[in-house]
Amino acid sequence: AQTVTQSQPEMSVQEAETVTLSCTYDTSESDYYLFWYKQPPSRQMILVIRQEAYKQQNATENRFSVNFQKAAKSFSLKISDSQLGDAAMYFCAYREGSGGADGLTFGKGTHLIIQP
Amino acid sequence: NAGVTQTPKFRILKIGQSMTLQCAQDMNHNYMYWYRQDPGMGLKLIYYSVGAGITDKGEVPNGYNVSRSTTEDFPLRLELAAPSQTSVYFCAVGVSHQPQHFGDGTRLSIL
């Protein structure tokens, strides 16, 4: 079974600084997708960024970018120019690329605190 | 557009009671999912559906049932509520094999 590990239960960063959230995963598959979701205090899950395993180029969405290291099975999220609205729980997630729509495997999350 | 609507937002049940968590979407997405989130944990998949009339088990289906008679609705049924089912439940929808849009969640307590 696939597993997703987020080793940082909590991270803190000063507003306008850069922070990196770590995620590692375990899989024997070669075709898969990786995601970062944000869950603010309102609880609603928001898709932040997505990476296809077959793509070597790291995904980027505005201030959010990933460092995808396929051989190391590492998928970290970098948030540049942190803003107060970035404060939330961040979840890393994995999905197989082929087969049924059996949803995602989530990590336990990292609580990101933004200090003004 | 309402997106994904979950009702109720909060509910307290007694052990052994039953209830249905409602999920409705107006996005016309084929894929629908039910997740539960326990404190300090990520989401775990309960059931999912790839279209009307088709449902399948996820990682933690025991104690739950679903149906998908229409594209819009995907209710989750708890038949005999147990304390272990105390959790926050999220419904999600997507156009392919991943949830893209989530509801606001239902906080359920079993006492």
Side-chain angles (χ1 to χ4, degrees):
Chain A
Q2 291 79 18
T3 58
V4 177
T5 302
Q6 292 179 250
S7 59
Q8 304 154 316
E10 186 173 280
M11 290 284 286
S12 181
V13 64
Q14 291 287 130
E15 193 176 2
E17 297 293 308
T18 295
V19 63
T20 298
L21 308 183
S22 302
C23 173
T24 58
Y25 58 94
D26 185 24
T27 183
S28 58
E29 303 292 329
S30 59
D31 181 21
Y32 53 87
Y33 298 86
L34 296 163
F35 309 85
W36 278 99
Y37 284 87
K38 172 184 177 181
Q39 187 179 39
S42 65
R43 291 204 318 241
Q44 189 172 43
M45 297 286 285
I46 302 166
L47 178 62
V48 174
I49 202 164
R50 156 190 161 131
Q51 174 80 42
E52 291 88 343
Y54 64 84
K55 289 187 177 179
Q56 292 185 337
Q57 186 173 6
N58 289 325
T60 298
E61 288 287 343
N62 300 316
R63 297 181 295 106
F64 298 87
S65 61
V66 299
N67 182 7
F68 175 46
Q69 302 289 327
K70 191 171 184 180
K73 296 181 182 176
S74 171
F75 183 62
S76 60
L77 175 70
K78 186 173 81 171
I79 306 174
S80 304
D81 186 25
S82 299
Q83 300 176 1
L84 294 178
D86 295 334
M89 285 292 292
Y90 285 82
F91 292 95
C92 179
Y94 164 99
R95 179 180 75 76
E96 284 186 20
S98 59
D102 52 4
L104 304 173
T105 300
F106 285 83
K108 292 185 178 181
T110 296
H111 182 210
L112 179 63
I113 299 169
I114 311 294
Q115 296 180 347
Chain B
N1 278 347
V4 181
T5 303
Q6 288 184 239
T7 55
K9 294 190 184 302
F10 304 95
R11 184 72 184 268
I12 298 174
L13 283 182
K14 293 182 179 179
I15 295 172
Q17 286 186 319
S18 62
M19 77 162 294
T20 300
L21 281 65
Q22 301 290 346
C23 176
Q25 58 140 335
D26 62 1
M27 310 179 81
N28 202 34
H29 288 343
N30 283 328
Y31 294 81
M32 296 188 76
Y33 306 84
W34 274 107
Y35 285 90
R36 60 177 285 173
Q37 184 179 29
D38 298 328
M41 303 292 288
L43 280 65
K44 292 189 176 182
L45 183 66
I46 306 171
Y47 269 95
Y48 67 96
S49 169
V50 301
I54 306 170
T55 63
D56 211 340
K57 295 178 180 179
E59 182 183 357
V60 289
N62 291 343
Y64 306 94
N65 277 300
V66 294
S67 60
R68 185 91 183 273
S69 56
T70 66
T71 299
E72 293 77 20
D73 300 296
F74 190 41
L76 177 71
R77 179 82 176 165
L78 283 72
E79 290 293 350
L80 290 171
S84 61
Q85 294 177 304
T86 293
S87 190
V88 180
Y89 291 83
F90 288 96
C91 177
V93 304
V95 296
S96 61
H97 300 277
Q98 72 189 56
Q100 293 171 280
H101 307 280
F102 285 76
D104 291 339
T106 295
R107 185 177 295 277
L108 181 63
S109 295
I110 315 296
L111 303 177

